[in-house]
Amino acid sequence: MAIHDWLQAHRLAGVLDIIVAYSSVTIYYDPWIVRCGELRDDRSVYHGLERFLVRAWEETEGEEPAGQKGHFFRVPVCYEGEYAPDLEWVAREKGLTKEEVIHLHHSVI
């Protein structure tokens, strides 16, 4: 998110859209407009964008996205009967007790 926010704040001419996912950011762009804009002195659009993205990474490394705060969610679960049809199987497959599986399932890792 921090890189997405940085890219939005430093948006290059020709960038059509910036899509953020869990562990990636996709940039849709018009290569001609990008090439004629701020990256015109680079060897190629690819090298110019690579340099631009490295700068984004370096300037945001370890940052929290602007205005973003963590959220705490309580999700009720039940580990008995029909609500845990695979609990015994998971425990057996992983060589754990049912209690160990339950502990791992609701612990913060």
Side-chain angles (χ1 to χ4, degrees):
M1 287 302 297
I3 289 177
H4 173 268
D5 293 347
W6 190 95
L7 291 171
Q8 289 287 19
H10 299 84
R11 197 169 183 125
L12 293 173
V15 170
L16 305 173
D17 202 0
I18 302 169
I19 309 287
V20 66
Y22 180 76
S23 63
S24 65
V25 176
T26 301
I27 301 172
Y28 291 96
Y29 62 95
D30 181 318
W32 179 253
I33 296 173
V34 170
R35 180 75 170 123
C36 294
E38 298 171 53
L39 304 180
R40 66 183 163 277
D41 296 329
D42 286 290
R43 297 183 298 206
S44 67
V45 172
Y46 172 83
H47 287 100
L49 283 173
E50 180 183 40
R51 187 174 48 81
F52 187 69
L53 292 170
V54 166
R55 181 176 157 213
W57 176 261
E58 290 171 349
E59 291 187 18
T60 61
E61 194 168 7
E63 279 186 30
E64 288 293 322
Q68 295 282 326
K69 296 197 182 209
H71 298 282
F72 178 79
F73 295 95
R74 183 173 298 275
V75 179
V77 294
C78 179
Y79 298 104
E80 296 178 15
E82 68 180 288
Y83 301 107
D86 58 352
L87 179 58
E88 287 186 32
W89 177 85
V90 171
R92 191 173 50 253
E93 285 291 310
K94 298 303 175 185
L96 301 170
T97 66
K98 290 192 294 185
E99 291 74 21
E100 289 170 323
V101 172
I102 291 168
H103 174 74
L104 286 171
H105 186 251
H106 67 79
S107 64
V108 177
I109 297 175

